[in-house]
Amino acid sequence: MLADLETLVRCESHSADLAALARSADAVGALGTRLLGTAPESIVIDGVTHLRWVFGTPRVLLLGHHDTVWPMGSLEARPWSVATGIARGPGVLDMKAGLVQMLHALASLRTLDGVCVLVNGDEEIGSPTSRELIEEAARGSVAAFVLEASGDRDGALKTARKGSSRYEVTVHGRAAHAGLAPEKGVNAAVEAAHQVLAIAGIGAAVAGGGGGPGSATVTPTLLSAGSTSNTVPARARIAVDVRVPTSAARDHVDTLLRGLSPRTPGARLEIEDIGGRPPMEPGASAALFALASRIARELGQRPLRGIAVGGVSDGNCTAAVGCPTLDGLGAVGAGAHAEDEYVEVASMIPRSRLLAELVTRTLR
């Protein structure tokens, strides 16, 4: 498993580099071909390479991604290494170790009949080209197992995820010469300042749980305004990150954001929801988590915990179409998307055994 993990980590796969993604798909496909006994279907959409294995009539979906957040060349600064039971390298935790564990788990089964494996190449940027593939596969499945990394160093599974939405608030003002006739303009930057405070106020109002797993968060992020330093800005833009625990909370926040109104005379607001992922609510995982907990006890593994997290994954999408979903079945470690990203090597075989038994019992 470590040799296979080294192969995948050394094959860099930044989401924005289509050629790198194609090479990574070849590496993952070769590994899967060796372990599963058959080559995957390669699906290229808008230049992004995804892989799919289907055995018989699929009933269980195993979901992973081979892209990473790490820019090309990161391997030179953070090389692959294994020392004192810790594996390091860009993408090792999120989620190349999860792919290795998944493929080895499946290789241990007596039959793969009823299994669908989907490994996409754009999860880290929101799965824009693969979401339809994921949802289609989930609709025909009785369970989806997502190989994202564990929720913490204790191996917790992710039993709920907030949904995410991205909004853009555009402020339309009127340009004028800042020195000769500023009074003839409508300053979009000034209006944007009002709106940033208003958006922050919405965030404070809905964050009943202090920003924790049970609360919504509304956060103004990117801000831009104007065109030249001597012109009253005619336009400003505010990006807003929204995280919600339930669909009802999503609708409530949407209503509040669309209720924003301009404070500057002559200014006009345009509010656009530019996409995201729906919430993965606790009910989607409850039965599968109970099954996983029983299996862990039978295997003599430490008791499992389930946690709710603010980050999103493709598990949000499988749950949203009604497929029972259990997430966080991948590697145990820490530092996803960070310089200290690592995997606990000793956890890889136990996690693979847990997954193998989960698939077996779900297919019965």
Side-chain angles (χ1 to χ4, degrees), residues 25 54 57 67 70 75 83 141 209 256 259 282 287 289 292 294 348:
V54 178
T57 301
D67 63 318
W70 294 97
L75 188 64
S141 300
L256 293 175
F289 178 72
R294 290 197 300 271
M348 294 182 68

Side-chain angles (χ1 to χ4, degrees), residues 52-119:
R52 182 168 62 192
W53 286 265
V54 178
F55 301 92
T57 301
R59 289 178 288 143
V60 172
L61 172 63
L62 282 85
L63 193 57
H65 66 87
H66 67 97
D67 63 318
T68 77
V69 300
W70 294 97
M72 301 303 292
S74 297
L75 188 64
E76 183 176 352
R78 301 172 185 84
W80 160 261
S81 68
V82 181
T84 62
I86 298 296
R88 299 184 185 275
V92 66
L93 179 69
D94 189 10
M95 61 170 293
K96 298 196 174 188
L99 295 179
V100 171
Q101 292 171 196
M102 174 182 68
L103 293 171
H104 278 267
L106 293 176
S108 73
L109 301 185
R110 291 195 308 159
T111 177
L112 293 174
D113 186 56
V115 171
C116 174
V117 178
L118 182 58
V119 180

Side-chain angles (χ1 to χ4, degrees), residues 275-364:
R277 290 182 173 114
M280 174 182 155
E281 299 188 36
S285 65
L288 292 176
F289 178 72
L291 175 60
S293 296
R294 290 197 300 271
I295 292 170
R297 287 195 300 269
E298 292 168 10
L299 294 174
Q301 298 181 10
R302 59 190 173 190
L304 289 175
R305 290 193 308 113
I307 60 172
V309 296
V312 296
S313 82
D314 288 329
N316 291 65
C317 300
T318 60
V321 299
C323 181
T325 299
L326 189 57
D327 203 339
L329 285 160
V332 177
H337 297 196
E339 293 186 5
D340 62 344
E341 180 179 15
Y342 72 86
V343 165
E344 295 179 2
V345 173
S347 70
M348 294 182 68
I349 290 176
R351 297 293 276 196
S352 294
R353 288 176 174 159
L354 174 65
L355 178 64
E357 192 63 26
L358 265 172
V359 173
T360 298
R361 297 198 193 185
T362 305
L363 285 172
R364 284 177 184 169

Side-chain angles (χ1 to χ4, degrees), residues 60-323:
V60 172
L61 172 63
L62 282 85
L63 193 57
H65 66 87
H66 67 97
D67 63 318
T68 77
V69 300
W70 294 97
M72 301 303 292
S74 297
L75 188 64
E76 183 176 352
R78 301 172 185 84
W80 160 261
S81 68
V82 181
T84 62
I86 298 296
R88 299 184 185 275
V92 66
L93 179 69
D94 189 10
M95 61 170 293
K96 298 196 174 188
L99 295 179
V100 171
Q101 292 171 196
M102 174 182 68
L103 293 171
H104 278 267
L106 293 176
S108 73
L109 301 185
R110 291 195 308 159
T111 177
L112 293 174
D113 186 56
V115 171
C116 174
V117 178
L118 182 58
V119 180
N120 64 336
D122 58 359
E123 191 277 340
E124 294 291 6
I125 57 172
S127 305
T129 71
S130 60
R131 181 165 176 171
E132 187 173 336
L133 294 174
I134 293 163
E135 292 177 344
E136 178 186 9
R139 287 190 184 98
S141 300
V142 299
F145 298 123
V146 185
L147 273 295
E148 291 287 353
S150 169
D152 61 18
R153 297 174 189 177
D154 293 330
L157 301 186
K158 295 170 180 174
T159 52
R161 287 182 179 272
K162 290 182 182 181
S164 68
S165 297
R166 292 182 299 135
Y167 285 80
E168 185 171 271
V169 178
T170 302
V171 180
H172 298 278
R174 184 171 61 248
H177 195 291
L180 296 176
E183 72 281 358
K184 293 183 178 181
V186 175
N187 197 314
V190 171
E191 178 58 32
H194 288 298
Q195 295 305 320
V196 166
L197 294 176
I199 293 164
I202 290 174
V206 301
S215 66
T217 59
V218 180
T219 308
T221 55
L222 298 176
L223 176 65
S224 64
S227 54
T228 66
S229 61
N230 62 348
T231 303
V232 173
R235 181 173 297 181
R237 290 187 176 88
I238 308 161
V240 185
D241 180 283
V242 174
R243 307 289 169 133
V244 291
T246 64
S247 296
R250 177 186 59 195
D251 294 342
H252 178 56
V253 169
D254 183 80
T255 299
L256 293 175
L257 286 174
R258 294 188 186 281
L260 290 169
S261 59
R263 310 289 181 85
T264 304
R268 178 172 61 87
L269 302 182
E270 181 181 352
I271 300 162
E272 183 181 8
D273 180 351
I274 56 177
R277 290 182 173 114
M280 174 182 155
E281 299 188 36
S285 65
L288 292 176
F289 178 72
L291 175 60
S293 296
R294 290 197 300 271
I295 292 170
R297 287 195 300 269
E298 292 168 10
L299 294 174
Q301 298 181 10
R302 59 190 173 190
L304 289 175
R305 290 193 308 113
I307 60 172
V309 296
V312 296
S313 82
D314 288 329
N316 291 65
C317 300
T318 60
V321 299
C323 181

